[in-house]
Amino acid sequence: MTLDYVLPLRWTSDAGLPELTGYLRWLAGQASVIVVDGSPPALFERHAAAWAGLCRHVPPQARPGRNGKVAGVLTGLALASGDRVVLADDDVRHDAESLRAIERMLGHADLVRPQNVFDPLPWHARWDTARSLVNRALGADYPGTFGLRRAALVGGYDGDVLFENLELIRTVHARGGRELVASGLGVRRVPPTAGHFWGQRVRQAYDGFAQPARFAAELAVLPAVAVLLGCRARGLLAGVAAGVTVLAATGRLRGDGRALFGAGAPLWAPVWALERSVCAWLALGARLRGGARYAGTRLPVAAHSVRALRRS
């Protein structure tokens, strides 16, 4: 096999073990699979028994930085046998077509960024899909999976950031690597529980500190809505909602998005934009208290700029 598949995870519950085991059983026939498992010892041993013969199952190696996912990714990359690697979170479900497409694209790119698509679509997945559409309209989404040439990330990337996916992308850029945004290549993502969805809202908003202009716009939404409500300017408020919906609809039109997202997906964008603005203000408060909460600590840095990475 010429493709390695690195899956970092850290579980506190094995509720998803049967489903993931089935996926790994299929995946073992498509790529050389490395699962880097930072779960507590009892769960780690249970995983080792369930996945014996399906993958290489290892604990993460100690690395500088407090973001455990970065340690998992770098441990897996160090163990990969080839140069072409798929990185994927534990909720990502590739198929043979997406794996082969990424393998081909890595023939002329150092980093491939596909598009995650939630399946199934409970209400909170529809809500979060609006975020993906806005991201697409403003450039590209941030999926839970990438194709990567190992040579493009020699030396690793900073493990003391919250928005580790953006840090990885910017590190590849800073080192002269070429990124291919494959917005039309859909890869299934299993939606989280509603409780997990709510638990991620402020943390996702904190990522905005790595994109200051966008973060300022997100902060502005809540006071603007408050002013319009206070003035009873319902027409203007409807216009703002329509504008956000059009922005999301533009994202759906990019990169064959109509084949990936339903026609009604942009309608969730105004709800998402208001929620993101509320959470942006909460994230600002977290910044003043030392950073976003992560695994029992606080991370003040969302991600570094490409300029800063080139200087380092």
Side-chain angles (χ1 to χ4, degrees):
M1 297 179 186
T2 59
L3 191 67
D4 289 278
Y5 189 107
V6 173
L7 192 165
L9 59 81
R10 185 183 185 281
W11 283 4
T12 56
S13 165
D14 268 352
L17 182 59
E19 192 275 338
L20 180 59
T21 301
Y23 175 62
L24 291 176
R25 186 172 293 113
W26 169 84
L27 189 60
Q30 306 294 321
S32 297
V33 183
I34 302 166
V35 176
V36 184
D37 188 353
S39 304
L43 295 184
F44 183 94
E45 294 304 323
R46 195 177 304 161
H47 300 164
W51 302 335
L54 302 181
C55 62
R56 188 171 183 179
H57 177 240
V58 298
Q61 296 300 305
R63 300 273 180 175
R66 291 165 286 177
N67 191 314
K69 181 181 172 183
V70 174
V73 168
L74 294 179
T75 298
L77 288 177
L79 294 174
S81 58
D83 190 44
R84 301 184 189 189
V85 180
V86 170
L87 306 175
D89 292 345
D90 60 345
D91 58 358
V92 170
R93 299 293 178 265
H94 278 274
D95 57 23
E97 182 180 351
S98 64
L99 292 174
R100 299 288 81 82
I102 288 174
E103 187 175 20
R104 289 193 302 271
M105 291 173 184
L106 286 173
H108 50 88
D110 297 293
L111 181 71
V112 176
R113 189 180 347 179
Q115 175 65 60
N116 275 146
V117 181
F118 286 120
D119 179 22
L121 276 173
W123 67 267
H124 57 281
R126 296 177 188 273
W127 184 314
D128 211 27
T129 293
R131 172 183 56 85
S132 293
L133 296 180
V134 170
N135 285 341
R136 287 167 66 92
L138 298 176
D141 197 17
Y142 300 96
T145 183
F146 295 99
L148 176 72
R149 295 195 75 104
R150 279 202 304 162
L153 206 61
V154 172
Y157 62 116
D158 197 322
D160 251 336
V161 300
L162 187 70
F163 197 174
E164 80 288 337
N165 281 351
L166 182 57
E167 186 77 5
L168 186 154
I169 292 168
R170 288 179 173 176
T171 300
V172 171
H173 290 176
R175 296 175 184 172
R178 182 188 174 207
E179 180 189 8
L180 193 160
V181 177
S183 296
L185 178 59
V187 179
R188 179 180 173 235
R189 190 166 199 169
V190 179
T193 63
H196 186 75
F197 165 81
W198 284 120
Q200 293 292 308
R201 308 326 295 154
V202 176
R203 182 175 157 188
Q204 284 191 4
Y206 196 94
D207 292 343
F209 283 105
Q211 302 166 304
R214 175 168 172 172
F215 190 62
E218 291 172 351
L219 287 170
V221 170
L222 184 61
V225 169
V227 168
L228 292 175
L229 286 173
C231 296
R232 298 184 180 180
R234 296 175 182 173
L236 288 175
L237 190 59
V240 171
V244 174
T245 303
V246 169
L247 181 65
T250 301
R252 180 176 175 266
L253 295 177
R254 288 191 170 176
D256 296 326
R258 283 175 290 187
L260 303 177
F261 304 102
L267 298 177
W268 288 82
V271 179
W272 172 83
L274 183 59
E275 171 260 310
R276 172 52 62 93
S277 189
V278 171
C279 291
W281 283 100
L282 294 174
L284 184 59
R287 180 65 171 262
L288 297 175
R289 293 190 298 274
R293 290 190 177 278
Y294 178 88
T297 186
R298 286 188 182 271
L299 291 177
V301 178
H304 297 95
S305 68
V306 173
R307 181 179 299 178
L309 291 169
R310 283 174 178 159
R311 289 197 304 262
S312 63

